[in-house]
Amino acid sequence: MFNPTPRQIASIKTVIFVAALLPFTRLVLFAFTDRLGANPIEFITRNTGDWTLYFLCFTLAVTPLRRLSKWHWLIKLRRMLGLFAFFYATLHFTTFFWFDHFFDVDEMLRDVAKRPFITVGFTAFLLLLPLAITSTNGMIRRLGGKRWQSLHRLVYLIASLGILHFWWMKAGKHDFAQPILYGSIVGLLLLTRGINSRMQKRRTEPAPG
């Protein structure tokens, strides 16, 4: 069983941190070299949206993978992966707020209320905010372990809303291949969590008689 030392875990985190910034670095490079295509805003919006979903899936996959592999140290990577999901979600939202509405809050809110797929995406982003804010050890201590865990279960709702947002966005072009793929992955992860939770509950229940 692979059981890395604290120094090795720090190295793994560094590698993941650098790798997680590569999509952002690519966007910046493409912007400065005029390689964002005919519609730069759409390119940035879709790229940051895709990577938000990727990192939500990575975050959700940590617990099932830890239980299957018995690599309990994987839990130490979950916070970083979750924060990168928030990072790319923030870039995704900023692109919408800046380039689509030029920081006009009233116009943005009207657009949010008018178009369901934006309403769902905006809701998912708002739900990510408390998770990012409470990601520190200090906030875990303040909230207490149980309340913190209950709050961070919102990630399952957020991922589901993200899939719905993506599905509705693709519906106009009748292009459902990617939403179905992401939805299947998130559905499988949710199912795995549900099965694991039931198994744990059975183990903790007192034996009959």
Side-chain angles (χ1 to χ4, degrees):
M1 185 181 296
F2 180 51
N3 190 22
T5 64
R7 190 169 185 175
Q8 288 173 324
I9 290 174
S11 298
I12 292 169
K13 284 184 175 181
T14 300
V15 171
I16 292 174
F17 184 86
V18 172
L21 283 176
L22 289 179
F24 174 68
T25 305
R26 176 175 175 264
L27 277 179
V28 173
L29 179 62
F30 277 23
F32 279 102
T33 55
D34 196 24
R35 285 190 286 168
L36 292 175
N39 192 336
I41 296 174
E42 183 179 1
F43 185 94
I44 295 171
T45 301
R46 293 194 175 182
N47 191 269
T48 53
D50 284 347
W51 279 101
T52 301
L53 284 176
Y54 294 156
F55 278 102
L56 281 172
C57 290
F58 295 156
T59 305
L60 290 174
V62 167
T63 298
L65 185 59
R66 175 178 65 88
R67 287 172 177 161
L68 287 171
S69 66
K70 305 300 182 184
W71 290 359
H72 300 295
W73 57 271
L74 288 173
I75 202 71
K76 296 179 181 179
L77 307 178
R78 188 169 61 183
R79 181 188 305 181
M80 181 189 295
L81 294 171
L83 286 173
F84 269 111
F86 176 71
F87 172 70
Y88 283 104
T90 302
L91 292 178
H92 187 66
F93 171 73
T94 302
T95 303
F96 163 73
F97 189 31
W98 181 2
F99 296 111
D100 282 2
H101 299 290
F102 300 100
F103 299 109
D104 187 329
V105 176
D106 290 337
E107 183 184 338
M108 181 201 72
L109 291 177
R110 283 195 296 271
D111 200 14
V112 168
K114 188 191 307 180
R115 295 195 280 177
F117 89 93
I118 294 180
T119 306
V120 168
F122 185 64
T123 302
F125 177 69
L126 290 180
L127 291 175
L128 268 174
L129 286 171
L131 270 61
I133 292 169
T134 59
S135 64
T136 64
N137 291 333
M139 288 303 298
I140 295 173
R141 287 193 295 271
R142 287 182 188 180
L143 289 173
K146 288 187 177 179
R147 282 192 296 176
W148 185 88
Q149 285 182 348
S150 297
L151 175 64
H152 279 252
R153 288 193 186 104
L154 282 174
V155 69
Y156 297 98
L157 174 60
I158 292 165
S160 301
L161 290 174
I163 298 299
L164 183 58
H165 169 70
F166 193 41
W167 179 280
W168 276 344
M169 187 196 74
K170 289 286 192 176
K173 297 181 179 179
H174 301 284
D175 180 10
F176 298 109
Q178 284 185 308
I180 289 173
L181 175 61
Y182 294 144
S184 299
I185 292 171
V186 170
L188 180 61
L189 292 171
L190 289 174
L191 179 62
T192 303
R193 175 177 173 78
I195 292 171
N196 285 331
S197 296
R198 286 186 180 183
M199 289 176 65
Q200 283 186 336
K201 188 176 180 181
R202 287 178 182 176
R203 287 172 191 158
T204 55
E205 286 178 350

